[in-house]
Amino acid sequence: MQSSSTGNPSKIRPASGRLGIITPGLGAVATTFIAGVESVRRGLSQPVGSLTQMATIRLGRRAENRVPLIKEFVPLADLKDIVFGAWDPIPDDAYTAAKKAGVLEDRHLDPIADYLKAIKPMPAVFENKYVTRIHGTNVKKGKNKRDLAEQLRQDIRDFKEKNKLDRVVIVWCASTEIYIKAGPQHATLAQFEKAMEANDDAIAPSMLYAYAAIMEGVAFCNGAPNLSVDIPALIQLANEKGVAISGKDFKTGQTWMKTVIAPGLKARMLGLAGWYSTNILGNRDGEVLDDPASFKTKEESKLSVLHTILQPEKYPDLYKGFSHVVRINYYPPRGDNKEGWDNI
């Protein structure tokens, strides 16, 4: 999409040809996504949970009963035209990674094992200081962060050429990085590039992926709550290049439930004294979030959602000073079956 924020009219390119989806991260989220798409393509599953594939859109008056599927009304890529790729510091192929993640069972994975085993991750841009609980060997080396970003750009070009793709998008599916507060290094493109060359700690790996994507004209979506593409420098670059950017965590679990319940409370003008949330999880996500620095990133994201919805500054009698507590407990026996408790 061409940006309209600079005054230029938006122009949406047609969804024609083959679409590449590259995920930084080939863990539970990415492998479930990839396996799900392939299972649907083979007629083994229904695309449950997919807005684009199952939802309809109403046209005209309700009585006219014109409700086509969104995918039939909006020009979207067909599932058969999607090609997947990934980067990950752990060298496991998609089948091995999915087995370790434990989200899907053998009855889901075995019929598509051949496809998943063929997806092997490219070496990742990764530094342990940003995700302290993960240790990987499939990692790029470079003279500085600018050099690493250029290597990512080359990966994108090679992946596009090898698979004869017309378009590419990148969706961050990797772990939550440590909390970083926006600073002068993120203010302008010139400062950002200078910080990359200086190996500044304020430039996290996710920012390098976002930079590389935008420079290659590739849309970027951030599926984690850490500071990434949502900094002034990269927003400026995306506007100049006419590249779509989005995302601040997938929010598919407990936070999603908050975004369902909180608007209901507000719609009825019901006050809130406090909201306590705890999560019990035993997967890699839980292990990463067991580190206080990564948890702080997640906590900030989870805490902000209620303030955004309830607007305590606008409705002080109902929401001013409400207590909001979030806890995440890493408990390995729980595996990927996350459990959440809320007291409202």
Side-chain angles (χ1 to χ4, degrees):
M1 176 180 285
Q2 309 244 332
S3 170
S4 60
S5 61
T6 55
N8 299 321
S10 294
K11 181 181 178 183
I12 300 177
R13 294 190 284 270
S16 58
R18 287 158 65 83
L19 171 66
I21 301 177
I22 316 179
T23 63
L26 190 61
V29 173
T31 57
T32 303
F33 173 37
I34 294 168
V37 169
E38 181 61 14
S39 186
V40 171
R41 288 196 288 209
R42 296 192 185 192
L44 302 173
S45 307
Q46 290 294 318
V48 175
S50 173
L51 179 73
T52 64
Q53 300 302 301
M54 298 200 82
T56 60
I57 183 170
R58 193 185 90 199
L59 304 177
R61 299 174 183 236
R62 193 180 299 274
E64 295 177 24
N65 199 31
R66 290 193 294 147
V67 283
L69 290 167
I70 289 176
K71 66 178 182 178
E72 295 173 351
F73 181 73
V74 179
L76 297 172
D78 193 286
L79 293 186
K80 66 178 173 47
D81 292 327
I82 294 176
V83 179
F84 287 105
W87 292 277
D88 199 286
I90 296 171
D92 294 341
D93 61 61
Y95 178 78
T96 304
K99 291 273 285 186
K100 288 183 178 179
V103 179
L104 301 174
E105 300 172 11
D106 288 346
R107 62 190 176 93
H108 304 123
L109 297 173
D110 288 346
I112 56 173
D114 57 330
Y115 177 78
L116 295 175
K117 288 177 180 178
I119 299 176
K120 297 177 172 62
M122 296 176 279
V125 171
F126 176 79
E127 279 191 76
N128 181 250
K129 71 172 74 170
Y130 296 99
V131 184
T132 62
R133 300 302 170 91
I134 291 180
H135 303 275
T137 58
N138 192 38
V139 178
K140 292 186 186 301
K141 291 184 170 65
K143 63 182 181 180
N144 55 36
K145 294 183 178 183
R146 180 71 176 268
D147 179 41
L148 292 172
E150 293 302 322
Q151 291 182 45
L152 291 175
R153 293 183 65 183
Q154 188 62 52
D155 284 347
I156 295 169
R157 291 193 290 266
D158 292 344
F159 183 78
K160 188 174 183 180
E161 182 180 356
K162 176 185 174 183
N163 293 285
K164 297 179 171 56
L165 304 173
D166 297 270
R167 296 165 297 132
V168 178
V169 297
I170 291 176
V171 183
W172 177 270
C173 296
S175 298
T176 299
E177 295 172 332
I178 61 171
Y179 182 73
I180 295 176
K181 195 168 184 178
Q185 304 94 326
H186 311 117
T188 68
L189 184 59
Q191 288 170 294
F192 181 83
E193 291 179 334
K194 183 179 178 181
M196 281 196 296
E197 291 167 0
N199 280 330
D200 196 304
D201 286 344
I203 308 302
S206 64
M207 298 176 191
L208 300 182
Y209 283 97
Y211 172 83
I214 297 168
M215 290 295 289
E216 291 300 313
V218 168
F220 183 90
C221 175
N222 177 25
N226 45 259
L227 194 67
S228 175
V229 74
D230 53 329
I231 59 174
L234 295 182
I235 293 171
Q236 171 199 345
L237 182 62
N239 280 330
E240 291 175 357
K241 297 280 188 179
V243 174
I245 57 174
S246 65
K248 191 68 173 175
D249 203 5
F250 287 126
K251 302 193 192 307
T252 55
Q254 189 177 59
T255 308
W256 171 67
M257 288 302 299
K258 288 181 179 179
T259 65
V260 172
I261 297 170
L265 298 176
K266 185 181 177 186
R268 293 296 182 92
M269 288 288 107
L270 298 174
L272 180 69
W275 195 314
Y276 175 87
S277 301
T278 188
N279 295 263
I280 306 168
L281 62 165
N283 56 9
R284 188 189 296 173
D285 192 29
E287 184 179 8
V288 167
L289 294 174
D290 200 40
D291 170 53
S294 289
F295 170 70
K296 181 170 176 56
T297 302
K298 193 78 169 179
E299 182 184 35
E300 290 287 329
S301 173
K302 283 179 173 285
L303 292 176
S304 67
V305 69
L306 285 185
H307 283 81
T308 301
I309 293 170
L310 297 176
Q311 298 176 286
E313 69 286 347
K314 199 170 188 178
Y315 302 99
D317 293 340
L318 297 174
Y319 307 119
K320 184 179 179 181
F322 72 86
S323 179
H324 189 190
V325 178
V326 175
R327 295 287 181 265
I328 294 178
N329 298 286
Y330 176 51
Y331 179 58
R334 201 74 188 91
D336 197 72
N337 295 312
K338 183 194 286 190
E339 183 174 344
W341 291 84
D342 289 86
N343 180 281
I344 304 171

